[in-house]
């Protein structure tokens, strides 16, 4: 008797292991750095347009410093209508002198805590000038954070030394004299002459707002 053909034929199939198809060697396109997007910003202090690749409100350190000096002096004027106490007056003089001398690089002069401790330990916690308790670290010359350029001072000695470095504005230094006059006018003006002269400028997001609303793409 002839066998009936099976209805179903079962076969076993080898399921091939999943192998990743060998990667075709792909040619990578040459690296082209994304061009930085430059915009023109209006300096909140001097009003000049300048080009930068990131948002900023000032064209320079000098402008940033002048603006903060004006703001500080306006707040002092309003707080002490009959004249500020001597220590505040001194702080104002120092700031103004720095502003006229082209700004003061706070960032460059910021010391790491380890460095502060080193100076403190080396000078025995005392003012190297008079031996009183040390309060402030002075940069002897310029912004270098080398140990040799730093010394511990008390506040009064630091004040005396800082003031001794001030120079009188030269009679024919018209640029500096004009800046001094501008600062004076901006401080005395009843209404802030620039947005960055108002106390609100120090609020969170104020300068960023300025930078976005006072900028344009470069052409
Ligand atoms: Zn400027
Ligand atoms: Zn001292
Ligand atoms: Zn100093």
């Amino acid at each position: 008797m002839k066998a009936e053909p099976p209805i179903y034929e079962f076969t076993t199939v080898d399921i091939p292991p999943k192998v990743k198809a060998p990667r075709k060697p792909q040619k990578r396109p040459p690296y082209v750095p994304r061009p930085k997007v430059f915009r023109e910003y209006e300096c909140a202090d001097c009003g000049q347009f300048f080009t930068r690749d990131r948002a900023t409100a000032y064209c320079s350190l000098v402008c940033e410093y002048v603006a903060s000096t004006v703001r500080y002096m306006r707040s002092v004027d309003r707080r002490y209508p009959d004249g500020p106490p001597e220590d505040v007056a001194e702080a104002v003089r120092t700031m103004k002198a720095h502003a006229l001398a082209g700004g003061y690089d706070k960032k460059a002069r910021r010391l790491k805590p380890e460095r502060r401790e080193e100076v403190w330990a080396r000078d025995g916690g005392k003012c190297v000038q008079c031996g009183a308790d040390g309060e402030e670290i002075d940069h002897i010359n310029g912004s270098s954070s080398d140990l040799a350029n730093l010394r511990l001072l008390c506040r009064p000695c630091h004040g005396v030394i800082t003031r001794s470095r001030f120079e009188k504005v030269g009679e024919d230094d018209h640029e500096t004299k004009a800046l001094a006059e501008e600062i004076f006018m901006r401080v005395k003006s009843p209404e802030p002459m620039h947005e960055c002269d108002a106390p609100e400028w120090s609020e969170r997001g104020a300068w960023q707002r300025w930078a976005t609303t006072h900028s344009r793409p470069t052409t």
Side-chain angles (χ1 to χ4, degrees):
M1 194 181 136
K2 225 176 124 200
E4 293 275 316
I7 303 170
Y8 300 113
E9 199 113 29
F10 289 99
T11 51
T12 56
V13 199
D14 275 335
I15 300 168
K18 273 192 183 158
V19 230
K20 275 193 195 154
R23 250 174 94 165
K24 268 188 225 156
Q26 277 180 343
K27 251 220 170 143
R28 232 176 136 192
Y31 173 68
V32 183
R34 205 147 53 108
K36 283 186 170 172
V37 183
F38 283 90
R39 286 179 75 78
E40 272 189 316
Y41 295 92
E42 185 186 344
C43 177
D45 179 70
C46 72
Q48 279 184 54
F49 274 91
F50 59 98
T51 312
R52 212 44 71 76
D53 64 345
R54 64 193 150 82
T56 170
Y58 299 108
C59 72
S60 62
L61 189 72
V62 192
C63 280
E64 183 174 354
Y65 199 84
V66 166
S68 70
T69 304
V70 168
R71 235 172 14 254
Y72 178 62
M73 289 174 74
R74 287 180 65 87
S75 76
V76 168
D77 256 26
R78 271 142 200 81
R79 184 138 170 221
Y80 307 102
D82 303 320
E86 191 41 41
D87 58 331
V88 176
E90 206 181 291
V92 167
R93 276 196 294 275
T94 306
M95 241 184 135
K96 213 172 115 187
H98 282 313
L100 294 179
Y104 176 86
D105 197 347
K106 258 201 231 165
K107 260 185 221 143
R109 285 174 180 240
R110 199 169 294 147
L111 294 176
K112 290 199 178 105
E114 305 92 87
R115 191 33 56 97
R116 302 189 70 87
E117 271 164 37
E118 274 179 291
V119 178
W120 197 272
R122 186 201 56 196
D123 295 341
K126 301 286 178 198
C127 170
V128 298
Q129 208 72 12
C130 73
D133 284 343
E135 290 172 283
E136 293 170 357
I137 292 175
D138 176 43
H139 286 76
I140 297 167
N141 201 352
S143 299
S144 157
S145 312
D146 284 351
L147 207 48
N149 191 44
L150 302 169
R151 60 180 164 189
L152 189 59
L153 294 172
C154 69
R155 233 165 177 275
C157 284
H158 198 183
V160 170
I161 288 172
T162 304
R163 264 170 284 138
S164 75
R165 289 190 188 128
F166 293 169
E167 287 170 42
K168 240 190 135 37
V169 178
E171 247 339 283
D172 48 359
D173 186 353
H174 301 292
E175 210 179 306
T176 309
K177 279 166 95 177
L179 179 56
E181 227 158 89
E182 186 197 320
I183 291 176
F184 179 80
M185 270 166 39
R186 281 164 66 178
V187 171
K188 296 299 169 195
S189 165
E191 286 302 315
M193 287 169 71
H194 296 236
E195 228 169 283
C196 60
D197 295 352
E200 293 80 36
W201 186 262
S202 312
E203 281 166 19
R204 227 180 124 84
W207 75 259
Q208 288 91 338
R209 243 188 329 274
W210 168 275
T212 29
T213 49
H214 293 77
S215 69
R216 58 193 184 200
T218 43
T219 40

